[in-house]
């Protein structure tokens, strides 16, 4: 059974929304760390980058651009499978959806 182009577009749009939701969650956890003063010596690079890149939300401001930027490091780290991934069926499926 072949996927229709509309279905591929719908999946691509859902994937973009999921990255935006992830960016929102990352900023929320980052804000929690700012509010609680939480610092972990062994924190992952992603959390350190977020803390350094995004200041605490202490005044109302638009966050859409920050949400998109916050998702960037996670997307580059956890995004499309690398070409070296042993399961090439997933790589081909993801490529087909992205086109």
């Amino acid at each position: 059974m072949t996927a229709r182009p509309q279905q591929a577009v719908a999946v691509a749009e859902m994937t973009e929304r999921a990255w935006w939701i992830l960016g929102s969650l990352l900023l929320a956890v980052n804000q929690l760390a700012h509010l609680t003063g939480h610092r972990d010596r062994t924190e992952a690079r992603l959390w350190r980058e977020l803390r350094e890149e995004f200041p605490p939300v202490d005044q109302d401001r638009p966050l859409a651009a920050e949400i998109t930027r916050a998702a960037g490091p996670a997307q580059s780290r956890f995004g499309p499978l690398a070409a070296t991934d042993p399961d090439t069926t997933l790589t081909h499926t993801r490529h087909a959806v992205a086109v």
Side-chain angles (χ1 to χ4, degrees):
M1 183 174 191
T2 60
R4 296 182 182 142
Q6 304 94 322
Q7 293 169 330
V9 169
V11 170
E13 288 173 353
M14 285 187 281
T15 302
E16 286 304 312
R17 284 188 201 116
W19 286 118
W20 205 81
I21 291 167
L22 178 60
S24 299
L25 293 172
L26 289 171
L27 285 183
V29 172
N30 188 52
Q31 179 69 13
L32 178 65
H34 282 298
L35 291 173
T36 62
H38 177 74
R39 295 288 186 267
D40 186 348
R41 292 182 205 174
T42 62
E43 69 185 0
R45 187 182 84 212
L46 174 62
W47 298 112
R48 196 170 46 251
E49 288 174 7
L50 286 169
R51 190 181 71 240
E52 292 168 359
E53 176 83 20
F54 301 100
V57 178
D58 53 2
Q59 294 181 9
D60 193 22
R61 66 178 188 253
L63 294 174
E66 289 182 58
I67 290 169
T68 301
R69 281 191 3 249
Q75 189 173 9
S76 66
R77 185 177 207 172
F78 304 112
L81 295 173
T84 58
D85 191 294
D87 188 354
T88 57
T89 58
L90 288 176
T91 303
H92 293 299
T93 302
R94 286 187 178 192
H95 177 65
V97 169
V99 173

